[in-house]
Amino acid sequence: MAAKIEKLDEVTIRFAGDSGDGMQLTGSQFTNTTALLGNDLSTLPDYPAEIRAPAGTLFGVSGFQIHFGSKEISTPGDTCDVLVAMNPAALKVNLRSLRDGGIIIANRDGFNEKNLKLAEYEINPLDDGSLDKFQVHAVDITKLTTLAIQELNLSTKIVERSKNFFSLGMMYWMFSRPLDSSIKWIQEKFKKTPEIVEANTRVLKAGYNYGETTEIFHARYEVKPASLAPGRYRSITGNEATAWGLIAASSKAGLDLFLGSYPITPASEILHELSRYKNFRVKTFQAEDEIAGIASAIGASYGGSIGVTTTSGPGLALKTEAMGLAVMLELPLVIVDVQRGGPSTGLPTKTEQADLLQAVHGRNSEAPIPVIAACTPAGCFEAAYEATRIALKYMTPVILLTDGYLANGAEPWLIPSPDSLKEIPVKFHTDAKDFQPYSRDEKTLARPWAIPGTPGLEHRIGGLEKEHITGNVSYSAENHDFMVKLRQHKVDGIAEDLPHATVDGDERGDLLVVGWGGTYGAIKTAVENKRKEGKSVSQLHIKYVNPFQKNIGEILKNYKKILVPELNLGQLALLLQAKYLVPVIKLNKVEGLPFRADEIEKKIDELLK
Amino acid sequence: MAAKIEKLDEVTIRFAGDSGDGMQLTGSQFTNTTALLGNDLSTLPDYPAEIRAPAGTLFGVSGFQIHFGSKEISTPGDTCDVLVAMNPAALKVNLRSLRDGGIIIANRDGFNEKNLKLAEYEINPLDDGSLDKFQVHAVDITKLTTLAIQELNLSTKIVERSKNFFSLGMMYWMFSRPLDSSIKWIQEKFKKTPEIVEANTRVLKAGYNYGETTEIFHARYEVKPASLAPGRYRSITGNEATAWGLIAASSKAGLDLFLGSYPITPASEILHELSRYKNFRVKTFQAEDEIAGIASAIGASYGGSIGVTTTSGPGLALKTEAMGLAVMLELPLVIVDVQRGGPSTGLPTKTEQADLLQAVHGRNSEAPIPVIAACTPAGCFEAAYEATRIALKYMTPVILLTDGYLANGAEPWLIPSPDSLKEIPVKFHTDAKDFQPYSRDEKTLARPWAIPGTPGLEHRIGGLEKEHITGNVSYSAENHDFMVKLRQHKVDGIAEDLPHATVDGDERGDLLVVGWGGTYGAIKTAVENKRKEGKSVSQLHIKYVNPFQKNIGEILKNYKKILVPELNLGQLALLLQAKYLVPVIKLNKVEGLPFRADEIEKKIDELLK
Amino acid sequence: MKHVDELLKDVPKISVQKYTAKDFQSDQDVRWCPGCGDYSILAQVQRVLPELNIPKHNLVFVSGIGCSSRFPYYMDTYGFHGIHGRAAAIASGLKVARPELSVWVATGDGDGLSIGGNHFIHICRRNIDVKVILFNNQIYGLTKGQYSPTSEFGKVTKSSPYGAPDHPFNPLLVALGAEASFVARGMDRDPKLLQNIIRRAALHKGTAFMEVYQNCNVFNDGAFFTFTEKETKDDNVVVLEHGKPMIFGKEKDKGIKLEGFTPIAVSLKDGKYSVNDLIIHDEKDTMLSFILARMSNLPNLPRPVGIFYAVERQTYEQEVARQIESSITKLGEGTLDKLLNHGETWIIK
Amino acid sequence: MKHVDELLKDVPKISVQKYTAKDFQSDQDVRWCPGCGDYSILAQVQRVLPELNIPKHNLVFVSGIGCSSRFPYYMDTYGFHGIHGRAAAIASGLKVARPELSVWVATGDGDGLSIGGNHFIHICRRNIDVKVILFNNQIYGLTKGQYSPTSEFGKVTKSSPYGAPDHPFNPLLVALGAEASFVARGMDRDPKLLQNIIRRAALHKGTAFMEVYQNCNVFNDGAFFTFTEKETKDDNVVVLEHGKPMIFGKEKDKGIKLEGFTPIAVSLKDGKYSVNDLIIHDEKDTMLSFILARMSNLPNLPRPVGIFYAVERQTYEQEVARQIESSITKLGEGTLDKLLNHGETWIIK
Ligand SMILES: Cc1ncc(C[n+]2csc(CCOP(=O)(O)OP(=O)(O)O)c2C)c(N)n1
Ligand SMILES: Cc1ncc(C[n+]2csc(CCOP(=O)(O)OP(=O)(O)O)c2C)c(N)n1
Ligand code: SF4
Ligand code: SF4
Ligand SMILES: [Mg+2]
Ligand SMILES: [Mg+2]
């Protein structure tokens, strides 16, 4: 008996369970299927620092949230409509994100005495009425899974591991999604173990059929495709997009890509991803530490490759000395920092935006480096591409800032046509006549890139101060002053190359919300919501953090108030005040989580009342 | 026949020669003798990055400048009155610092064909009239030295090495200084080789007598003692003062001092100095690198010692990750950065002030650390003492910034009485009852220091986010936000503990010159000179760079213009603008050299005309 | 200047009670994956410590970052969870500052040999009296499965989908090359042996290096099963015992003999070789330790476990202490007055 | 994606001319102290290079920081003066990116073994084909005389006025512990031997480690005089020659023989021992290389110099190149189109 189908514009679902429950997998399967259906979407994985924290514990809960809709989706959702909770701990940790009236699908089998105790529940919340303001569906998922595949005679371990497919199946039914993409994936992934393919497929279908046959769910929903721009799409995470942006730039520039990197959460996937593209001649060097990561990348850049190094905050801290070397050498280099919660080891699997000042100021002496920030998961592609372009054009290290939220979050991405990407012309210097390693291009101030192997250009570079033009070591006072200022000037001059920043909303008004990086979606949602209410509020999102685009100062002048929401204690705010001498209002949250749009809306209301 | 004796208020002498000529030694001998005479003084050693660059070359010139007088002396002198040049390269490199009409004492023997060529002179400048605007005395120093000790039958190498004592002797004569202190030093230093004692002493006397007997010098000078505050004095360099300040703090606090350090110019002398005080139970650990330097110091602090690490810019860059750990652990730690010319290896033996932003911002995530800057060589004592005091009182790492100029520069220092030093009360936590490693002192917000070896306080700390009070690992969003803000608050709160900043000059006026660190003397001299001319200009010198003292904002408001001279591209200027939203005018020079007072005066004139 | 002892003088001295393993279990939940080999290493340490009669409060466990580096949280002693790779350096500072403490390092193959390789070789050469347990699971666990410097050549992992191109370290050889004074290898699944190693390391004066084969059942399951599982163990492992011939095999019927410098496995059954032909293990023989350490690089040989090398030589901190004491004897305890007024000074009136 | 060769295709190929040592002298003034041992090392490199017929523009010298690390400035090749301790890492990246270049590292005992120790052991294990010359003067020269990780225990320096409390590294043992495939020791004052070592290192495929005893006449004068000066040299140095017995002494009347694993010096004069009793040097014998390397730690033995060890094993960059080629063969050269459109995509109309 089919339930009635309701139409929805947007929905947020959160899958939550033990680290071992496969919630990340369930979430990403739902994401892929949803993307294929043409919804717009945004996701937020949220997992503990432990690999597989003891089952049932509160700190071991792993969650995956997906927000999708038939309209434009910019955030993973402030609150969720449906919470799938595989055990009591998952319920407890995630309940606060469920909206009133939202749906809970609980694995009743998981709510046993042991798990209730681990989750510090005295009474089973499924029974004590405490969840009355939600629609609770307690399903015997474990039991049903076991039944679905009992004839396959598999170990309990395998049965246990299949049960997330039951939840996935239920959700597919509830939101009217087809199973085929996930079935294909299962077949591919487990092709070496046909019994697992069979088990997972059966369980997935069983979950779907459970929705179809039982009457416990009152409604079924449909979320129509979003009216996205036409074209070919794929789903992509920030880390994937970063890797691809680098490969794309390497391809456009006609240069080999060399990654020198040391694994660190949440940046490691860029290393993983790049290590797969051997037929693109990408070389990945898993170095002994972060310093060797950047040092090897500098060596490769010196040799004519695009040297790249990827890391997160603590790793960036270790690379700072070598970054100074790259500044002095004026070699292209891309340094990717996927920011995470700090200080020190901090909250390694959580997101944060607090490495901005480290990126801009964190080196000995005057060592200016351009800094670019990605705003959305898919936007990491363009940002990585642009970082590489600037590095090559200006012969300079460039820092690309992303963050844990962007890195792990996924969204549908309109695949660009290769031709639409900016050209990246690169010419090695090869003419031995009058060659001077520190002569400069008049416009960009870039020095020539003369790589080993080029006859007649033998020369020596290094970290000691360079004499203008010749590049010889120079201890001259005047030369040093000149060179320090020249290096600054070169980086400042990149602003000439940048498009003017544009404001979303009115060009002048009561309030401008200025952000950078991964807060883009939340600010956008908040500002749009408030504009719909008729408020005079606009959004400026800064992609180029150093140097700022030339018209930023102008823009700031056009608003009565400026609000700067950041997932730190006010780092962009500091730079804006220092440079433009305009007072800004700060909204800071450092919880290891992205902003919710409503947090920003509340502040907007407060400022505009 | 004695020359007439002129009285002078102040004199600047520069000794210049090959790296191998012993100019640093000559300079420091002159300094000691002059200090003993009761003059105020300030010195500036200036030597190449090469240990012993080939003789006679321009880049191999080593110089030592001393400015002394019967009045207060705050800088090593903008221009010099006397230049001792041991060879043509020394003359060429240093001539521009000699005032018109100044005295040149040249070692004629050094002006041979080979040396002239190396110094790129076509004609001997001693003969071509190009030095006419100076008083040139060409003395056959080498020959006279040889004659003075020929009967000792020493190798030419030893004779060569003695000749600087001839110059020293001449200068002693010219400025009416006694020889005994240097003779005593020679006897002590070379006590194992009596023939060297004999040779150097003879040569020193020969130089003196040469002034006395020959008539080539028209005048002799007397510089009366300065009217310094009464008391016991000693001559001290910035690096010595830093070392002593640390020992003094350790002594006052009753704690052992542990230095974990890796040698680097210009910080190494702190390591050398501290390694001598074994009977003070100072432990110096020459680590394998800068990271081990700070890590071992943190380990020692954890164990209840005062952990200290000393370095220069590139080394500080390497320590940043561990500094973040110290922030999270909230252990006392003193990090000394003797700034030098950068970026990268830069100008390793030259001075600069460009690590300020690295010190304040150069760490991943929000990792606030108090930053203190020393202003004069002797002032390093107090600054190091104060840094240690704050580290212990607030259980926090503290950065002390000095620079190459302060580090190597010397001045007379009124020895403080031990009792006059602030008390540094330290109590280890020992009470096992209700012990909570991250509980806090209400006022300072310091956490208890519970060191291993204390029964019943077994506990665990680390770099992951700490739960408030318990110090357990916590991934809670709210706790993280709270702790990030609390750590910031604790550091900001140190401002409550600081004396109000005071202005030298009028409390309001046309211009305030704001500086920090080693520029103190030059700014002071400039401002005083201009005030004498009746200009409305005052000086504010910031010792506490993070947090700023509470009244800084107030002070800035009282002046029409604010000038910030810095040996960088405007780092304090940036912090002031960001924090106080007042526009400042920048005066930046990055030449590897300290400001001359007249450079600042010129700017003051420009702003006040 | 007061010494730490003095500062702690008011603290009531607890008489060293008889501890049990349980006394060393902290109140923190152990957060390793179920089945992880780390549990066994933790258990063996907790089992051995009571025998040593070291007051709990004088024990410190220092670590870097990694699954293994969570170790200190689970010990009811002083614990210091450092940053990645720096445990040896932190521990060095602590031990030099406080020689009376018993300082231990828990580290991983990544933490100790990749990012921390330099501190590791330097602590070995300095011979600072710190006990280093290296949890070798031949993988980066905490960061979810990249190859490590001990992963075998060609290993397929997340960061090496086409196989690791690196030749791995042999941790024992690295330690011996850095002249460590105590070098041993244990295994998570051989508790008795591991306990013995830990006990000996604790008693050793100087840097004591213990490599422990540790199963990461999530990212590198079974890496050491040949050496740890019942069926294969006896034929693939030879336990080193000082003064004893190197015999192995289920039936104790095989042994290791030297041919030149090359160890070879021989059968004792066919009468060709007897026990007298075998290597007699000698913990004090430097060269033998190299030969035995290198056995893991050679084919067709069982893997030696146990104590490879143990010699006493002066520790770094002993020399530091000696210099301080001798300086105090000579110059007297330093005072602030002495400091400020020594050498050349003058008086202005 | 274009390969470097293609990018440089317009550059006229210079036919490799016959170079002389002078061709390798750059236009930069050599700024070492007069009398420094570095001059000789520079001269020997410049002397050997012409024989190798490597085009000048394919040679790169990479260094860290230190007196010795100024080396690249003086070579008329490509040169890269890096930062302290990181030369091996920089060179690794360069060599992996451009295997066709001949990459050399000049480093010091501080640069290579103190701050750079980790990169050093890792380049050895990876066997990246880089030639590493370590200028061992047992002191920090450039920073004016602190003790280094190779300074002898008890050495009095600026930073150790009471004597260094550290036990020093034996650089050869460290390299062997990290499984370097080529290990040698030369001396500034034995140009012929040094040339021979440099030549062999240049021909070696893989990391070639050369320790060179280098006199710092300013801060550590005479550290190696026993081994380098005419009067003492012959009796205190034994030159290793592959396949030859280890004979030394002014009169060639002494030799090295093994007792167990312990080398001892014996006289060949009194008839007790003959050449047949002596160790025959074998560059390919791993264990022998350890024994010989350790000789410097033992008393009453001459110091071995020459090539201790030289075996070929696969280099890191060969495997990287192989993976790339095999992937291209299998999947075809990557294109932007392939990248963007592979895997799951969907079309919205
Ligand atoms: C500076 C820094 N770089 C990288 C990381 C990420 N990281 C954490 S643990 C680890 C490796 C863990 O491997 P191992 O030491 O073998 O420990 P295991 O987890 O296998 O026990 C890495 C790369 C980090 N935390 N800090
Ligand atoms: C990051 C960093 N730390 C420290 C230094 C200072 N430093 C320069 S060279 C050197 C040691 C030099 O010793 P060695 O490598 O033996 O070279 P040598 O001068 O003896 O040839 C040191 C400590 C530096 N330049 N950079
Ligand atoms: S990931 Fe591996 S090493 Fe880490 S806790 Fe889990 S099983 Fe143990
Ligand atoms: S200090 Fe020593 S190593 Fe450096 S150049 Fe001078 S003699 Fe050579
Ligand atoms: Mg591991
Ligand atoms: Mg050296």
Side-chain angles (χ1 to χ4, degrees), chain B residues 51-52, chain D residues 31-38 67-68 137 139 141-142 214-220:
Chain B
I51 298 306
R52 214 154 276 178
Chain D
R31 297 186 177 187
W32 288 310
C33 303
C36 175
D38 292 354
C67 294
S68 37
N137 55 12
I139 199 85
L142 191 67
Q214 173 247 323
N215 191 42
C216 169
N217 56 308
V218 173
F219 296 113
N220 198 17

Side-chain angles (χ1 to χ4, degrees), chain A residues 510-511 535 561 602-609:
Chain A
D510 293 342
L511 179 65
K535 298 247 159 93
K561 289 181 181 169
K602 212 178 111 202
K603 188 75 190 176
I604 295 176
D605 285 342
E606 189 189 311
L607 293 175
L608 292 186
K609 82 174 162 228

